[in-house]
Amino acid sequence: MIKISYCLKAVIHTLIQADSRSFSIDYKNNCFQKDGKPFQYISGSIHYSRIPREYWKDRLLKMYMTGLNAIQVYVPWNFHETVQGVFNFAGDRDLEYFLNLANQTGLLVILRPGPYICAEWEMGGLPAWLLQKPNIILRSADTEYLKPASEWLAVLLTKMRPWLYQNGGNIISVQVENEYGSYFACDYNYMRHLHTVFRLFLGEDVILFTTDGNTDKEMICGTLEGLYATIDFGTDTNITAAFIRQRRFEPKGPLVNSEFYTGWLDHWGDKHASVETVKVSKMLGEMLFMGASVNMYMFEGGTNFGYWNGKSAISVYFYDYNAPLSEAGDPTDKLLAIRDVIKNFRDIPVGPMPPATPKFAYGFVTLQKVCKTLLICWSWLSVKAGLSLCYVNCVQYYGFMLYRTTLPRDVPEPTPLISPLNGIHDCAYVSVNGVYQGLMERDTALVMNVTGQQGDQLDILVENMGRVNFGSYINDKKGLLGNLILGNDVLTDWSIYPLDIDTAVANGWLQADQSGSAMEAGDGPMIYSGTLKSTGLAWDTFVKLNGWNKGQVWVNEVNLGRYWTQRGPQQTLYVPGPFLSATQPNNITVLELERAPSHRRILFMDRPQLNNTGQKT
């Protein structure tokens, strides 16, 4: 008798199991069907790109223990193809590992691969390199956009096909594009093309759907025959009226709220967003009682590490979302209230909710200047980090660019430096011969005065604060987009340096000057560094920069993201424990853009501070 190997048995078992698995829409009974039985999903959104890989399992388990039977997942294109043609699915970008963890936990997946995702994410998930085509029409049938988008989808969807539920995985449905009805183009040919691509790579059996806002215009431009139309709305909406609108576009099938807002996004300069727990739990119960399938957006907000935050036309976002799981993944009262609602509709797992991750207050760290002056700092960094000088077609998609020229004449009296076409995207920090002169800012501060002598070096450090992620302005180019005017003189002959500060930090090049401890803090952009001593612990913590103004923070090699203390409301940056070493000194690097305090201390706390509106404490 021929013996069948263990591996072959496993393959046969998987094939048999896959044949018996199905997920479909029952139009007769207005519901989903899973394996031939009526099914209602209770889902929550989680962004793997905003959570360290080491914590994926923890967050998923907490969602499962709340009673969710599904999660909803965005896939940011620019997170995986930062450079055109180079695809990265390793480490924190290992989407298949994340899907496998969800599967092991017992969670189904609603996949939202875009190619545009919004998500308050940099450029809505679209790669910045698309903008190298100056006339490109994003999210349209323009071939300059459609070709790279189709190439990306070919790579991604090929990876996703084995994870479809009917193929033995846990993906039960896949969204095509995202809230397309909110976009000006209203290009049905584009949506038809995407529909064809998704079917080509995923097959005919998977449910493809759209999600749009609760207006007729959004539903008209965002829906397409062959794609199941769902709607999204929050606690300020009449449920019956919203689902009546969905019924006008989908007369039969399940009622679905694909984004039920448990919280809301935060803007720098506004109060920390909050949605009342009682409203969330009451409305969730009402929708589930109607038989609707609901996805809660967000269930775990996470963190905008690095430069991944998006922005509106006028403001920049940070994340936490007032979600049921906090930025650090801790269960909240809102989560417990939601679990109490879910208990009325399905059996939830038996056992305790996993606890909050341990936190530790490591205390103060004093920082020193890395360079004696701003001029020395940029010149040294350009040489040490091997940063290339370029005059045209500079490529630096995120972070900072240095533009350098000389004053064409003496300007002994304060003379206006003007951005005539609002061409500073987004903030410019101006210095002459290394002496900080002031700040120019897109839309709000287009003129400032400078003084100097003919031949003095004029440095313009331009900060990219994140690209617009929603609406018609997502083609958001960065840098110095036009020449500046000094008095009556047009400034030209710019030397341009892409400042890859992240690489410099990762290679240990930005360590404090030994003489730095005696130097004043000073105005303008400057890099500071210090050391958080090992304590034998690598627990979560939160860094507070009291008295600092605005900039970026790195812990070891990880860019924690932006702080903007004076703008608020967020006053701390989340530092996950896996970013720290329990046994080795932890390198801290701060790029302060406006003015560091004289004490040059930062504080590591055991709790976040999200509600301060920027006043000093």
Side-chain angles (χ1 to χ4, degrees):
M1 180 181 293
I2 299 176
K3 292 185 178 181
I4 300 177
S5 71
Y6 172 80
C7 290
L8 182 55
K9 285 180 180 179
V11 170
I12 293 171
H13 175 75
T14 300
L15 291 173
I16 294 172
Q17 186 184 44
D19 284 342
S20 66
R21 293 162 64 96
S22 64
F23 194 87
S24 61
I25 294 174
D26 182 345
Y27 289 96
K28 182 178 179 180
N29 295 299
N30 295 327
C31 65
F32 290 112
Q33 279 203 357
K34 177 174 172 283
D35 301 333
K37 298 178 181 179
F39 180 79
Q40 178 185 36
Y41 69 67
I42 307 174
S43 170
S45 286
I46 178 172
H47 296 160
Y48 63 94
S49 54
R50 284 182 160 118
I51 302 168
R53 174 188 174 112
E54 294 87 348
Y55 280 157
W56 288 349
K57 185 174 182 179
D58 172 79
R59 309 306 194 249
L60 291 168
L61 182 58
K62 287 169 180 171
M63 296 173 80
Y64 176 76
M65 294 302 294
T66 304
L68 304 188
N69 55 17
I71 59 170
Q72 193 186 85
V73 181
Y74 272 137
V75 182
W77 177 7
N78 55 8
F79 194 58
H80 295 280
E81 194 184 1
T82 303
V83 177
Q84 187 171 13
V86 180
F87 301 97
N88 184 354
F89 288 91
D92 284 350
R93 292 166 169 80
D94 193 342
L95 174 57
E96 291 186 85
Y97 177 71
F98 180 82
L99 294 176
N100 188 46
L101 284 177
N103 202 23
Q104 292 174 7
T105 306
L107 291 165
L108 300 168
V109 171
I110 301 154
L111 191 72
R112 306 177 80 180
Y116 164 85
I117 64 169
C118 186
E120 294 75 57
W121 186 263
E122 222 278 339
M123 203 170 156
L126 300 179
W129 47 260
L130 290 169
L131 299 179
Q132 290 182 297
K133 301 288 187 179
N135 298 316
I136 192 170
I137 303 175
L138 302 171
R139 303 179 70 193
S140 79
D142 178 3
T143 55
E144 290 192 334
Y145 171 75
L146 214 54
K147 183 176 184 294
S150 300
E151 290 170 348
W152 155 244
L153 289 173
V155 172
L156 175 64
L157 298 181
T158 298
K159 289 179 174 290
M160 294 298 97
R161 183 161 183 160
W163 290 96
L164 298 179
Y165 183 79
Q166 59 268 30
N167 294 337
N170 54 342
I171 297 175
I172 55 174
S173 60
V174 180
Q175 180 180 275
V176 176
E177 242 276 352
N178 182 63
E179 296 184 321
Y180 191 62
S182 303
Y183 194 55
F184 75 91
C186 199
D187 187 342
Y188 293 114
N189 286 332
Y190 168 58
M191 291 295 288
R192 291 187 189 100
H193 175 85
L194 290 184
H195 186 193
T196 300
V197 170
F198 276 69
R199 284 290 177 218
L200 175 66
F201 288 100
L202 297 181
E204 295 297 323
D205 294 334
V206 66
I207 296 171
L208 300 180
F209 71 98
T210 58
T211 300
D212 283 286
N214 183 28
T215 69
D216 287 345
K217 177 186 179 299
E218 289 169 275
M219 295 294 287
I220 288 169
C221 284
T223 58
L224 187 74
E225 186 177 355
L227 304 176
Y228 192 78
T230 73
I231 199 165
D232 54 36
F233 55 89
T235 58
D236 58 348
T237 301
N238 181 286
I239 299 173
T240 301
F243 281 138
I244 287 174
R245 177 168 280 112
Q246 185 197 356
R247 275 284 173 253
R248 293 212 301 269
F249 292 85
E250 286 293 353
K252 296 291 184 179
L255 298 174
V256 179
N257 186 346
S258 287
E259 289 188 9
F260 171 52
Y261 302 111
T262 60
W264 198 243
L265 52 101
D266 279 323
H267 299 79
W268 291 107
D270 291 347
K271 292 181 179 180
H272 176 51
S274 177
V275 175
E276 293 179 32
T277 294
V278 65
K279 290 183 178 180
V280 172
S281 58
K282 179 177 181 294
M283 197 163 183
L284 175 64
E286 291 172 356
M287 288 188 288
L288 295 179
F289 182 77
M290 296 172 67
S293 287
V294 179
N295 173 71
M296 287 167 273
Y297 190 101
M298 293 292 299
F299 205 87
E300 152 73 294
T303 305
N304 286 328
F305 295 115
Y307 310 110
W308 290 117
N309 66 276
K311 70 184 293 287
S312 69
I314 59 173
S315 185
V316 182
Y317 303 127
F318 61 92
Y319 237 54
D320 167 76
Y321 219 88
N322 189 230
L325 284 171
S326 73
E327 180 184 17
D330 297 340
T332 65
D333 290 342
K334 186 176 290 185
L335 180 141
L336 299 177
I338 287 170
R339 184 174 63 174
D340 286 341
V341 171
I342 294 174
K343 286 178 182 177
N344 297 319
F345 297 92
R346 67 182 302 260
D347 293 333
I348 67 171
V350 177
M353 175 66 64
T357 53
K359 311 295 190 297
F360 192 74
Y362 293 94
F364 285 103
V365 172
T366 300
L367 306 180
Q368 298 178 1
K369 278 186 179 181
V370 169
C371 316
K372 291 183 179 180
T373 69
L374 177 64
L375 182 62
I376 293 173
C377 199
W378 296 139
S379 300
W380 173 83
L381 182 61
S382 299
V383 175
K384 176 68 176 177
L387 303 177
S388 58
L389 166 67
C390 54
Y391 290 90
V392 293
N393 297 324
C394 261
V395 176
Q396 170 97 350
Y397 298 127
Y398 311 107
F400 301 87
M401 298 277 285
L402 179 64
Y403 295 79
R404 177 172 288 169
T405 190
T406 56
L407 298 184
R409 59 181 174 85
D410 290 346
V411 281
E413 299 296 327
T415 302
L417 180 66
I418 307 168
S419 174
L421 300 177
N422 197 17
I424 291 172
H425 290 191
D426 296 294
C427 279
Y429 304 89
V430 181
S431 63
V432 176
N433 278 357
V435 178
Y436 184 60
Q437 301 279 307
L439 167 68
M440 304 177 77
E441 186 173 352
R442 177 182 183 175
D443 298 325
T444 60
L446 305 181
V447 181
M448 61 166 288
N449 290 326
V450 300
T451 59
Q453 297 180 337
Q454 182 177 1
D456 282 353
Q457 183 169 290
L458 175 68
D459 281 344
I460 313 289
L461 178 68
V462 179
E463 176 192 13
N464 168 1
M465 293 176 61
R467 291 177 180 82
V468 173
N469 62 271
F470 181 82
S472 57
Y473 297 105
I474 57 174
N475 58 333
D476 188 9
K477 297 179 180 179
K478 297 299 181 180
L480 191 60
L481 304 187
N483 286 319
L484 303 182
I485 296 175
L486 179 63
N488 295 320
D489 297 300
V490 177
L491 301 180
T492 57
D493 298 324
W494 294 97
S495 299
I496 309 172
Y497 298 86
L499 295 179
D500 188 358
I501 301 174
D502 293 80
T503 296
V505 171
N507 287 308
W509 294 329
L510 299 181
Q511 301 301 314
D513 188 318
Q514 292 304 309
S515 62
S517 58
M519 294 186 294
E520 294 297 326
D523 289 334
M526 186 60 65
I527 297 173
Y528 301 82
S529 72
T531 301
L532 174 63
K533 296 180 180 179
S534 59
T535 62
L537 299 174
W539 289 2
D540 287 3
T541 188
F542 301 87
V543 59
K544 182 176 181 180
L545 294 100
N546 190 38
W548 300 72
N549 280 272
K550 179 190 179 189
Q552 302 275 145
V553 180
W554 290 259
V555 170
N556 294 322
E557 299 179 5
V558 181
N559 187 334
L560 298 180
R562 186 185 321 278
Y563 69 90
W564 205 346
T565 308
Q566 297 307 309
R567 186 72 60 95
Q570 183 185 29
Q571 296 292 300
T572 54
L573 292 177
Y574 173 49
V575 186
F579 293 176
L580 298 171
S581 171
T583 58
Q584 299 294 322
N586 295 280
N587 294 322
I588 312 298
T589 307
V590 173
L591 169 61
E592 167 60 44
L593 293 166
E594 296 182 9
R595 181 175 177 82
S598 58
H599 60 70
R600 281 174 283 142
R601 291 195 310 262
I602 60 176
L603 174 64
F604 288 88
M605 307 166 57
D606 59 3
R607 59 182 61 89
Q609 186 176 341
L610 297 176
N611 288 302
N612 191 293
T613 55
Q615 292 87 358
K616 292 182 179 180
T617 57

